[in-house]
């Protein structure tokens, strides 16, 4: 990917401008311009949530909160744009609803700083509606139908049309539209047993429904511009070929025992068919049923996070049935199609176990990083959750003549949460990403321009 097309290209301006901020209320049919009093906007994306949340901080010396009589449900429109020579950069326009006044602090005798908790407009609209009906089709089509019918959105972007999951018939049990889409997502698997994620972009407002297999297999968006926490990444020599990680943190990493006890490594699973009074047993071995396949999704990251040869008392830990799990599986609820949680054979049941295992494995080696955020908000595309990024961390015992990467911390990471903080008084943006990876680099060579391969 060239510097021009990369979200974190070096040599680009790093400021953001607030174009306009408007506060509106349907109660009074009036609006006021609050551009000059906005201090900070925070936005949150999550791979597991199809809605955006945020916080807006503003100074209130003109009695805005009192005179406008903010009660919740007022609308705030915000327009901002990155200041850059990048030709494809666009204005970002957002419509928020005030959920509540989070806090109000007195900073001077007649001046307060007010923090408003925000949710995106479609999420608020969803909270006003109810879905209680029978729906039929592939999961992505059901979700698309809900978006069109209840949220007036017909632009769902999905990988499901290529990696189809089987059709189902469901009776949505008295949920909001957003809750219903998440409920459907929870039962959505692609043809190889990988779960789907349904999420929304904070910068483009797009909805995505993508299977994890496709996400893992997708190329990194910064191939030739890796993120690095090393001082060399911020030097004048390498600014055009890397971007600095200002803070990096890993907590609760490689907790294999917890995975063992939850049945992710090896387990015996019993699925009871209440209609026949029978059950089937499905044994799960993470090495044979998942890790071998995961290695093929990223050819340069084929070293697994868990070595299948790891043994205890001369027995591979994946061969232990550390947990016995029993579940009731719906069967033959409808004559012509599967119900919500129905499986037809052992293969279907194994896919469900596999999907649960990979969701848990995603959190085995999480990494949180803080980077320069405005380079990710061009407005021309979505660069946040659901994208893969390359991170290179120099080995602690490095030879300057032959640099190498720390393969435990380096890697191609999937962004699973993103927080953007726009300091609109200074025109600066910070971004904090929580990332997950599914394997380690085979090669330890450090190459800023080309990566560790």
């Amino acid at each position: 990917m060239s510097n021009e097309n990369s979200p974190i290209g070096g040599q680009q301006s790093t400021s953001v401008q607030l174009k306009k901020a408007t506060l509106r209320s349907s109660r009074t049919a009036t609006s006021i311009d609050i551009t000059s009093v906005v201090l900070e906007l925070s936005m949150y994306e999550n791979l597991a949530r199809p809605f955006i949340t945020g916080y807006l901080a503003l100074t209130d010396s003109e009695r805005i909160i009192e005179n406008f009589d903010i009660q919740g449900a007022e609308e705030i429109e915000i327009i901002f744009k990155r200041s850059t020579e990048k030709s494809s950069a666009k204005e970002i326009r957002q419509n928020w609803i005030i959920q509540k006044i989070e806090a109000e602090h007195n900073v001077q005798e007649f001046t307060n700083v007010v923090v408003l908790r925000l949710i995106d407009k479609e999420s608020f609209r969803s909270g006003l509606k109810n879905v209680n009906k029978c729906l039929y089709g592939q999961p992505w089509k059901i979700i698309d139908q809900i978006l069109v019918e209840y949220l007036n959105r017909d632009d769902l972007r999905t990988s499901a049309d290529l990696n189809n999951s089987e059709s189902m018939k469901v009776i949505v049990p008295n949920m909001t539209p957003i809750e219903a889409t998440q409920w459907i997502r929870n039962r959505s698997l692609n043809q190889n047993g990988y779960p789907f994620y349904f999420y929304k972009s904070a910068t483009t407002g797009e909805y995505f429904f993508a299977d994890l297999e496709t996400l893992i297999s997708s190329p990194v968006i910064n191939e030739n511009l890796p993120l690095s926490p090393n001082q060399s990444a911020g030097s004048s020599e390498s600014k055009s070929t890397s971007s600095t990680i200002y803070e990096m943190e890993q907590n609760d990493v490689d907790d294999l025992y917890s995975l063992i006890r939850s049945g992710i490594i090896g387990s015996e699973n019993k699925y009871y068919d209440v209609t026949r009074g029978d059950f089937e047993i499905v044994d799960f071995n993470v090495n044979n049923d998942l890790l071998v396949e995961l290695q093929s999704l990223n050819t340069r990251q084929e070293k697994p996070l868990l070595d299948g040869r790891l043994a205890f008392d001369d027995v591979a830990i994946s061969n232990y049935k550390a947990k016995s799990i029993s579940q009731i599986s719906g069967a033959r609820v409808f004559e012509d199609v599967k119900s919500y949680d129905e499986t037809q054979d052992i293969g279907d049941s194994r896919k469900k176990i596999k999907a649960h295992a990979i969701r848990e494995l995603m959190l085995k080696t999480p990494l949180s990083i803080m980077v320069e955020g405005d380079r990710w908000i061009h407005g021309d595309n979505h660069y946040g959750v659901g994208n893969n990024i390359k991170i290179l961390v120099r080995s602690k015992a490095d030879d300057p003549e032959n640099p190498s990467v720390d393969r435990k911390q380096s890697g191609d990471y999937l962004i699973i949460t993103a927080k953007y903080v726009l300091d609109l008084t200074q025109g600066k943006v910070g971004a904090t990403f929580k990332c997950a990876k599914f394997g380690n680099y085979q090669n330890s060579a450090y190459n800023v321009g080309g990566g560790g391969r």
Side-chain angles (χ1 to χ4, degrees):
M1 180 173 288
S2 68
N3 288 17
E4 168 66 17
N5 294 325
S6 173
I8 55 172
Q11 311 276 332
Q12 295 283 345
S13 172
T14 57
S15 63
V16 64
Q17 293 181 340
L18 177 62
K19 297 289 188 178
K20 188 117 182 230
T22 307
L23 174 63
R24 300 189 182 94
S25 174
S26 60
R27 291 181 292 110
T28 60
T30 59
S31 63
I32 59 173
D33 187 337
I34 59 172
T35 307
S36 62
V37 298
V38 171
L39 301 175
E40 183 177 283
L41 173 66
S42 301
M43 307 179 294
Y44 298 84
E45 291 176 340
N46 193 313
L47 191 66
R49 292 193 321 209
F51 55 89
I52 307 300
T53 58
Y55 292 93
L56 184 72
L58 52 87
T59 57
D60 186 9
S61 58
E62 301 295 331
R63 300 168 62 192
I64 296 173
I65 302 299
E66 177 187 354
N67 292 337
F68 210 75
D69 190 20
I70 290 180
Q71 300 179 10
E74 290 78 17
E75 182 178 347
I76 293 181
E77 182 182 54
I78 293 178
I79 305 172
F80 60 90
K81 184 180 181 182
R82 181 185 168 191
S83 299
T84 176
E85 295 178 358
K86 185 178 173 71
S87 59
S88 60
K90 299 178 181 178
E91 285 186 349
I92 295 175
R93 184 185 299 264
Q94 297 177 322
N95 290 297
W96 299 91
I97 298 295
I98 297 176
Q99 182 177 349
K100 64 179 179 179
I101 299 175
E102 183 75 15
E104 193 167 353
H105 306 282
N106 182 259
V107 293
Q108 293 180 2
E109 185 176 0
F110 298 107
T111 302
N112 289 350
V113 171
V114 180
V115 180
L116 304 174
R117 178 176 172 83
L118 309 175
I119 56 175
D120 67 71
K121 192 172 181 178
E122 283 153 349
S123 180
F124 187 85
R125 178 182 287 118
S126 172
L128 298 173
K129 299 187 178 184
N130 178 269
V131 183
N132 192 4
K133 63 188 299 185
C134 182
L135 296 171
Y136 166 78
Q138 290 187 36
W140 76 271
K141 290 186 177 180
I142 295 176
I143 289 175
D144 186 54
Q145 179 182 345
I146 292 172
L147 291 177
V148 171
E149 185 173 344
Y150 294 93
L151 301 182
N152 301 320
R153 292 292 298 264
D154 61 354
D155 54 352
L156 177 67
R157 296 182 60 177
T158 180
S159 64
D161 52 349
L162 300 176
N163 294 309
N164 292 330
S165 53
E166 292 188 22
S167 295
M168 67 170 81
K169 182 181 288 188
V170 297
I171 299 175
V172 180
N174 197 29
M175 295 177 172
T176 70
I178 291 295
E179 288 173 342
T181 61
Q182 292 179 288
W183 185 63
I184 296 297
R185 174 212 60 199
N186 291 340
R187 188 56 187 92
S188 303
L189 305 177
N190 76 358
Q191 56 194 355
N192 293 321
Y194 287 82
F196 278 86
Y197 285 88
F198 181 44
Y199 54 98
K200 188 177 184 181
S201 170
T203 55
T204 66
E206 296 171 293
Y207 285 102
F208 297 86
F209 185 65
D211 63 282
L212 191 57
E213 183 179 15
T214 297
L215 295 179
I216 296 173
S217 304
S218 299
V220 297
I221 60 175
N222 61 328
E223 175 60 48
N224 296 315
L225 299 159
L227 293 162
S228 174
N230 299 295
Q231 292 182 352
S232 61
S235 67
S236 58
E237 180 180 356
S238 63
K239 275 185 179 179
S240 62
T241 54
S242 65
S243 187
T244 303
I245 296 174
Y246 297 111
E247 293 183 19
M248 186 173 71
E249 183 178 46
Q250 281 191 299
N251 295 311
D252 297 324
V253 176
D254 290 323
D255 185 358
L256 181 58
Y257 182 73
S258 292
L259 293 179
I260 292 173
R261 291 309 311 140
S262 62
I264 300 305
I265 306 303
S267 62
E268 178 185 72
N269 301 264
K270 298 178 181 179
Y271 287 88
Y272 289 87
D273 184 341
V274 295
T275 61
R276 294 183 301 171
D278 195 6
F279 68 91
E280 61 184 18
I281 298 177
V282 184
D283 293 331
F284 181 75
N285 179 308
V286 72
N287 185 57
N288 298 334
D289 296 329
L290 178 58
L291 294 182
V292 173
E293 184 178 313
L294 268 180
Q295 293 174 336
S296 66
L297 300 184
N298 185 331
T299 55
R300 69 180 177 197
Q301 198 155 274
E302 293 181 332
K303 186 177 180 182
L305 300 178
L306 171 64
D307 192 335
R309 297 169 297 178
L310 186 63
F312 186 80
D313 289 341
D314 298 325
V315 177
I317 61 170
S318 57
N319 286 334
Y320 283 94
K321 296 180 179 62
K323 195 172 185 69
S324 180
I325 303 170
S326 299
Q327 298 184 42
I328 294 176
S329 178
R332 298 175 180 83
V333 177
F334 305 107
E335 292 184 359
D336 55 339
V337 68
K338 289 182 180 180
S339 59
Y340 179 79
D341 202 37
E342 185 175 343
T343 58
Q344 288 185 339
D345 51 37
I346 288 180
D348 284 349
S349 299
R350 193 177 301 279
K351 287 180 182 180
K352 291 173 63 175
I353 304 167
K354 176 180 175 181
H356 175 64
I358 196 170
R359 288 190 188 101
E360 296 298 317
L361 191 65
M362 183 186 295
L363 302 177
K364 186 175 187 292
T365 57
L367 177 69
S368 294
I369 60 173
M370 180 182 291
V371 297
E372 196 170 47
D374 54 346
R375 297 173 181 266
W376 302 78
I377 54 172
H378 301 311
D380 60 340
N381 208 339
H382 170 65
Y383 300 109
V385 298
N387 284 292
N388 290 308
I389 53 175
K390 180 196 290 185
I391 296 175
L392 297 184
V393 180
R394 293 281 287 271
S395 175
K396 307 303 182 290
D398 205 4
D399 178 3
E401 300 300 321
N402 187 26
S404 60
V405 298
D406 181 333
R407 287 181 291 178
K408 284 284 287 182
Q409 289 191 313
S410 300
D412 296 347
Y413 282 84
L414 177 68
I415 301 174
I416 56 178
T417 69
K419 173 187 176 182
Y420 306 94
V421 180
L422 285 68
D423 182 345
L424 298 168
T425 61
Q426 300 294 323
K428 296 182 179 180
V429 184
T432 301
F433 299 133
K434 183 177 181 180
C435 311
K437 68 174 179 177
F438 301 87
N440 294 317
Y441 285 152
Q442 291 281 80
N443 194 315
S444 63
Y446 182 87
N447 183 343
V448 173
R453 306 168 86 112

